[in-house]
Amino acid sequence: MTKMLVAEDLSAVGGISLSAALPVLTAMRYQVAALPTSLLSTHTSGYGRPAIQDLSTWLPAVFDHWMAAKLDFDQALIGYVGSVELVDLLHKYLMAQQVALTVVDPVLGDLGELYSGFDGDYVMAMRRLIQTADVILPNVTEASLLTGLPYAADPDLAVLLPALQKLVKPGAHAIITDVTRDDLIGCAWLADGQVQYSGQPRLPGHYNGTGDTLAAVIAGLLGQGYSLAQAVPLANQWLNAAVAETLAENRDDERQGVALGNLLRAILALQAS
Ligand code: ADP
Ligand code: MG
């Protein structure tokens, strides 16, 4: 079994980030090392101020133990980290490891703004971390923050994507995740210098955890040998199915992450084929 390190926040209530990545990657037959980068009572969208446990003294001890126990990983998926110190710690750990495929979702902000608690130093730390990545998955806001280009909701991808590619190592790929085209939402990346786009109809509403789930799906498919051109459209289809299922549930609480039933069935069907 392929061993994947998944490092991101664990929000007890809300069904996003680590809680969403684990079932997705388990269904894809990965052996997952689930490493919370911080512990929260809920995610940060709609429950008021969560109780947060900072793990910056625990995480160095984890890495020391893993080194001593000679534990290593074939792949890594990095999501929300939370502090410059921890981003640098992860960077150092990944540099010392031989990870065949590292996917980084450089979680920094949305809708043109940094998330609260983050500043310019955090963006600089994230620029360092993405140098270890084979694939990065910024949204449009994060792409602008990382490159320093002005934010536009509908950016010039022929400018933004090459600027992102300059921040990652040769051969690595930058995929921008919340790109709108007409009534589609999807992802854009470069292949042979040309802008590629894959999208699905944008369904009404805003959902928590779509980005985390998309990152887990893409990391999982790429690790199984699917090309970007195969993995990204499949991931967009599955996320569309997850949002459609969420809509069909007519939830009375909109804060919970997207429904994963259809997506997990699609994964299992693909694995069986
Ligand atoms: P996040 O803000 O959680 O990082 P994104 O907005 O980047 O997530 O969404 C990630 C992916 O989820 C998109 O690329 C798309 O495939 C899917 N998605 C998100 N919102 C919708 C929606 N309203 N309708 C259909 N698909 C969606
Ligand atoms: Mg995102």
Side-chain angles (χ1 to χ4, degrees):
M1 272 177 114
T2 307
K3 290 173 285 178
M4 193 185 308
L5 168 63
V6 181
E8 57 192 332
D9 62 289
L10 174 58
S11 296
V13 168
I16 71 163
S17 51
L18 203 45
S19 308
L22 256 175
V24 165
L25 292 166
T26 303
M28 288 184 174
R29 301 206 193 97
Y30 285 91
Q31 187 180 308
V32 178
L35 184 70
T37 51
S38 77
L39 293 177
L40 293 88
S41 50
T42 66
H43 64 61
T44 54
S45 181
Y47 297 98
R49 197 186 168 89
I52 301 180
Q53 180 67 50
D54 178 272
L55 296 178
S56 51
T57 52
W58 179 67
L59 285 162
V62 170
F63 292 137
D64 287 347
H65 177 214
W66 285 354
M67 300 279 221
K70 298 198 165 30
L71 292 171
D72 46 34
F73 305 101
D74 310 300
Q75 278 184 241
L77 168 62
I78 314 297
Y80 179 93
V81 183
S83 73
V84 170
E85 193 188 355
L86 289 185
V87 171
D88 286 340
L89 184 71
L90 268 169
H91 180 230
K92 197 171 132 212
Y93 178 74
L94 289 171
M95 295 283 281
Q97 296 295 304
Q98 263 155 22
V99 178
L101 177 66
T102 299
V103 175
V104 176
D105 181 358
V107 178
L108 292 170
D110 206 359
L111 304 173
E113 304 281 342
L114 273 173
Y115 289 131
S116 70
F118 289 168
D119 58 14
D121 286 346
Y122 192 78
V123 176
M124 293 297 287
M126 192 55 78
R127 277 194 202 134
R128 293 191 285 277
L129 180 63
I130 62 175
Q131 288 163 14
T132 62
D134 299 289
V135 173
I136 60 169
L137 298 165
N139 61 27
V140 173
T141 299
E142 290 152 353
S144 124
L145 289 164
L146 288 168
T147 57
L149 290 168
Y151 171 76
D154 185 14
D156 185 348
L157 296 168
V159 174
L160 192 52
L161 281 166
L164 272 176
Q165 285 295 147
K166 289 207 182 82
L167 300 176
V168 294
K169 61 191 183 191
H173 300 278
I175 306 174
I176 306 181
T177 61
D178 58 345
V179 181
T180 295
R181 264 194 191 173
D182 303 320
D183 51 0
L184 303 182
I185 177 169
C187 301
W189 68 101
L190 289 179
D192 299 321
Q194 300 297 309
V195 175
Q196 312 292 306
Y197 181 76
S198 158
Q200 286 282 319
R202 179 193 287 275
L203 301 170
H206 180 269
Y207 302 87
N208 292 311
T210 47
D212 310 329
T213 308
L214 184 86
V217 167
I218 289 179
L221 289 172
L222 293 177
Q224 291 185 337
Y226 290 85
S227 67
L228 275 194
Q230 295 168 321
V232 178
L234 203 49
N236 285 142
Q237 270 172 41
W238 289 353
L239 263 296
N240 181 279
V243 171
E245 180 181 356
T246 312
L247 268 170
E249 283 179 346
N250 269 318
R251 294 177 171 179
D252 47 23
D253 183 347
E254 290 173 0
R255 299 172 294 188
Q256 184 71 17
V258 276
L260 295 180
N262 283 345
L263 185 136
L264 292 173
R265 273 186 287 278
I267 291 172
L268 293 174
L270 184 74
Q271 306 296 316
S273 68

